[in-house]
Amino acid sequence: MTAPPNAQAAPNASAAEPGVSGVAVLRQLLGRFRPYRARCAGMFALALVAVVLSVMSPLLLRRVVDEALPERDVPLLATLCGVMLALSLVASVLVVAQTALANWVGQRVTALLRAEIHDRARSQPLPFYTERGQSEIQARLVNDVDGVDRFLTGTVQRWLSTVLSLLAIGGAMLVVEWRLALLCVLMALGLGLVNNRFARRRRALARDRQRLLTTVLRHVAEDLSLSGVLLGRTLRRTRWQRTRFLDVSEEIREVTYRQRITGMSAQVLIGSSFAALPPLIFLAAGTLGSGVTVGSVVVLIILQGRLSQQIQELLRLSGQFQASLAMFERVQEFLDLPAGEVEPTAPGARRAGAPPAVRLRGAAHGYPGAGRRALGPVDLDFPAGSTTVVMGRSGSGKSTLALLLAGLLPPDEGSVALDDGTDPRAAVTLIPQQTALLKGTLRENLLFARDGVPPAALDWVLAAVRLDTVVARLPEGLDTQLGAEGLRLSGGERQRLAVARAMLADARVLVADEMTSSLDHETAEQVTAALRAHCRNRTLVLVAHRLPTMAPDDRIVVLDEGRVAEAGTHLELVARGGYARLTGSPAPRGAEKAVVPGGGRG
Ligand SMILES: Nc1ncnc2c1ncn2[C@@H]1O[C@H](COP(=O)(O)OP(=O)(O)OP(=O)(O)O)[C@@H](O)[C@H]1O
């Protein structure tokens, strides 16, 4: 089977030890329990009492076998049996209480962890999302946190009970017959060391498995989305999509198989070693001389059986523990990301007030790993209340400029500032090239713009972008569900929805990046005119490939390979001559009269 490039991610790539050690990861995890110290202590106490009670029964059994039964002492027998029953009942109640407490604490720690990862993932600079991709973030936030949750609420609790049980059983065995107990404990220690080797291997395999599951998520998101299905079918590459999915699926099968076999080998090795203990106990009891009663032998066999069970449980848990640790390492990697502020805290700054001018001084931006800078350095002025059309060939840096203007990308050097000192992120709304829509109704998508939109404003905006006729046709009007990513709407309708939503956001500066690329000429002109009317007292920047109908005062910036090739008002540029060659735009009447110096630096 041909392995497509994406499926060839080396299976051992992440088998290498990650940067953070297991102990450090565990310490960070345990640190999260600090606020719940008292409840954790309560959980520990409950577990301890439950374990002590559970080993008392076999000790009572020795008296049943050695005294009550041979001497036919019915009152003693009834008392011992009654106490044994009561002990097991109380131990069960304590286990339930302990589980409730563990989940109470564990769920709080997990919820906090989930919120922190969400905050970190949300506040990263834009290149983070290009590099990581949606599925990677999804896998960390959902699958890995879920793994940590299972660890916190299940594995830790069972591990605690098991370790305490081992200590209690060991103690009880020492009370019954110390020499035989020592034999069992030494054997348990040896087997623990063997298990450690298996556990390390299982942790590496668990890490590999998580990485592969993330890849599967990515493939599913790419290939089984509407755009992925269209891409695969139209280019007749569905078999390729299937192949790369199966390749990763095979890798998962292999890694899971190895993970389970490693775990099972350790369990079988230890299980069979313990099977050898009863004959050894009988032999020792027969050869150690006096002091070993039949009751002691029976109790030792029972305790040894329990010891074996607990050690095997510990083994199973150590496998889960290693898998959880691998997940926590992945979660920690996200928690270690620098925290950033994505939204200024003054929401009022977005609306009201005079339109600001936007100034770029020596502003430049290069994407990580790209050869040349996508933009700049450039000096540009967008005067208060002006309309500027940004043009240029594909790849000339228009979208990069739009992102800088909206404060969504920081300039690597130079500055992007509003003349009134407002943070661009508080005053600028961007209509990006790709329209993002929520799974919900048309109304919900529009009102996402801001809280408290008056119904009249909603109606005005819908009519302005010619969406009113679309709404009238929809079965449930504004309350029609748009489906995932709003795919029930046409591309042009989605674009108009994005424009309407940005208008409702009521920002003082609006930057529209090719907002009419999917619209016919007439509708595009109507939508642009509506946006201009809306922006009469705002600063507007239109990124466009086609020159819209221009007003004499409209400004134009022509970009070429990230530099400003031309800048000025429409009339100035037409008068200078070179601009018509770049845009194919005819000179409007009277152009030759207006010549004003432009403001660009290439
Ligand atoms: N996330 C990114 N990582 C690396 N390079 C990028 C990234 N985004 C854009 N670029 C590169 O930066 C340059 C400018 O891209 P930009 O999207 O700003 O151009 P544009 O003028 O808007 O193009 P178009 O008209 O095709 O939308 C291009 O060479 C592009 O390949």
Side-chain angles (χ1 to χ4, degrees):
M1 207 174 261
T2 355
N6 281 341
Q8 282 176 341
N12 293 326
S14 71
E17 284 296 316
V20 199
S21 80
V23 178
V25 165
L26 198 61
R27 199 175 304 135
Q28 275 155 338
L29 180 59
L30 292 180
R32 296 181 166 271
F33 284 84
R34 218 163 282 141
Y36 309 106
R37 249 178 264 137
R39 282 191 162 83
C40 289
M43 197 172 86
F44 182 82
L46 285 177
L48 191 64
V49 175
V51 162
V52 169
L53 294 184
S54 72
V55 290
M56 277 171 71
S57 287
L59 294 180
L60 295 174
L61 181 68
R62 180 163 66 160
R63 289 193 66 193
V64 169
V65 174
D66 286 346
E67 293 174 37
L69 285 179
E71 290 161 24
R72 302 221 172 269
D73 186 343
V74 178
L76 179 64
L77 188 62
T79 310
L80 289 172
C81 291
V83 174
M84 282 162 79
L85 278 174
L87 285 179
S88 73
L89 199 70
V90 174
S92 309
V93 172
L94 290 180
V95 168
V96 173
Q98 188 203 345
T99 308
L101 208 53
N103 277 280
W104 192 95
V105 175
Q107 288 309 320
R108 271 161 184 77
V109 172
T110 310
L112 213 62
L113 202 63
R114 205 176 276 129
E116 265 182 55
I117 296 178
H118 187 265
D119 285 349
R120 288 300 151 99
R122 208 169 41 85
S123 66
Q124 295 310 302
L126 295 189
F128 172 85
Y129 306 96
T130 326
E131 282 160 29
R132 299 290 183 138
Q134 188 193 344
S135 346
E136 163 87 31
I137 298 170
Q138 199 177 320
R140 306 265 171 152
L141 194 59
V142 181
N143 301 11
D144 294 344
V145 173
D146 195 45
V148 174
D149 171 30
R150 267 180 275 126
F151 172 73
L152 294 182
T153 49
T155 314
V156 167
Q157 188 206 350
R158 291 214 305 280
W159 183 82
L160 180 68
S161 300
T162 309
V163 169
L164 289 176
S165 296
L166 277 175
L167 292 176
I169 294 168
M173 287 173 89
L174 280 174
V175 170
V176 175
E177 172 47 61
W178 69 270
R179 288 158 300 187
L180 292 178
L182 211 60
L183 178 74
C184 293
V185 169
L186 282 177
M187 193 160 163
L189 283 177
L191 292 173
L193 290 176
V194 173
N195 176 52
N196 216 18
R197 291 183 65 87
F198 281 102
R200 272 207 300 269
R201 177 85 196 113
R202 289 178 77 179
R203 181 166 157 202
L205 289 167
R207 266 202 304 274
D208 271 350
R209 191 163 183 273
Q210 279 312 108
R211 179 183 56 78
L212 289 166
L213 288 175
T214 305
T215 310
V216 164
L217 273 179
R218 180 163 55 79
H219 290 179
V220 168
E222 281 173 7
D223 300 345
L224 298 183
S225 59
L226 181 61
S227 51
V229 168
L230 289 178
L231 181 75
R233 289 187 191 174
T234 190
L235 296 176
R236 287 162 294 284
R237 298 289 280 166
T238 51
R239 239 174 264 134
W240 182 90
Q241 289 175 327
R242 181 172 181 274
T243 303
R244 79 167 180 166
F245 178 82
L246 291 186
D247 282 351
V248 184
S249 177
E250 264 177 38
E251 277 193 64
I252 293 178
R253 186 199 63 196
E254 197 49 41
V255 167
T256 312
Y257 175 77
R258 288 209 304 248
Q259 198 185 7
R260 306 245 160 105
I261 289 297
T262 312
M264 185 48 74
S265 309
Q267 277 188 34
V268 166
L269 179 73
I270 285 160
S272 55
S273 307
F274 273 107
L277 267 181
L280 283 177
I281 290 174
F282 295 137
L283 193 68
T287 52
L288 284 177
S290 63
V292 184
T293 63
V294 175
S296 299
V297 172
V298 171
V299 172
L300 274 175
I301 295 292
I302 291 175
L303 289 176
Q304 176 274 324
R306 286 202 186 169
L307 191 76
S308 150
Q309 267 175 15
Q310 297 301 329
I311 285 182
Q312 290 185 52
E313 171 72 355
L314 203 61
L315 264 179
R316 231 168 32 78
L317 288 177
S318 84
Q320 286 175 16
F321 180 77
Q322 297 297 336
S324 305
L325 218 52
M327 287 187 196
F328 193 68
E329 279 164 359
R330 286 164 52 90
V331 164
Q332 189 61 43
E333 199 200 312
F334 261 44
L335 292 173
D336 288 340
L337 290 170
E341 187 212 0
V342 279
E343 207 174 283
T345 34
R350 213 169 249 282
R351 294 190 292 279
V358 190
R359 283 200 196 104
L360 276 78
R361 289 293 173 267
H365 185 81
Y367 292 99
R372 71 167 175 86
R373 275 177 170 160
L375 184 75
V378 292
D379 292 343
L380 280 171
D381 281 305
F382 298 86
S386 65
T387 295
T388 308
V389 179
V390 178
M391 303 191 72
R393 294 196 179 87
S394 177
S396 57
K398 302 182 297 296
S399 298
T400 308
L401 173 64
L403 289 168
L404 253 74
L405 284 172
L408 296 169
L409 269 186
D412 296 339
E413 60 184 60
S415 64
V416 179
L418 268 56
D419 64 344
D420 63 1
T422 314
D423 184 332
R425 292 172 303 171
V428 185
T429 287
L430 171 75
I431 306 173
Q433 265 183 32
Q434 270 111 24
T435 304
L437 294 179
L438 310 171
K439 187 175 187 296
T441 63
L442 182 54
R443 188 192 301 279
E444 284 163 350
N445 271 283
L446 285 162
L447 296 184
F448 184 74
R450 71 180 161 98
D451 295 330
V453 173
L458 187 59
D459 290 343
W460 185 86
V461 160
L462 284 172
V465 300
R466 300 286 185 274
L467 267 182
D468 49 352
T469 47
V470 178
V471 174
R473 275 201 311 270
L474 289 171
E476 287 167 70
L478 275 172
D479 295 313
T480 306
Q481 290 285 340
L482 298 186
E485 295 165 45
L487 288 172
R488 286 214 189 128
L489 295 180
S490 76
E493 286 163 354
R494 281 204 296 276
Q495 272 191 340
R496 279 181 281 163
L497 198 162
V499 176
R501 189 167 56 186
M503 283 158 80
L504 289 172
D506 210 7
R508 291 187 294 141
V509 182
L510 248 154
V511 180
D513 190 356
E514 291 181 36
M515 63 170 185
T516 56
S517 58
S518 302
L519 303 180
D520 61 85
H521 178 69
E522 195 191 331
T523 316
E525 284 290 326
Q526 284 168 346
V527 170
T528 309
L531 193 64
R532 279 169 174 282
H534 172 77
C535 290
R536 220 160 271 141
N537 197 27
R538 299 167 210 270
T539 308
L540 175 63
V541 181
L542 293 168
V543 173
H545 275 293
R546 274 183 318 215
L547 197 66
T549 304
M550 302 292 285
D553 286 346
D554 282 353
R555 303 178 65 80
I556 291 170
V557 171
V558 182
L559 293 181
D560 188 22
E561 299 202 347
R563 301 300 178 108
V564 179
E566 310 242 13
T569 64
H570 188 62
L571 295 182
E572 286 166 22
L573 297 194
V574 171
R576 274 191 230 154
Y579 154 71
R581 177 175 46 81
L582 275 162
T583 60
S585 153
R589 245 186 300 173
E592 59 284 352
K593 286 185 209 143
V595 182
V596 188
R601 177 175 101 178

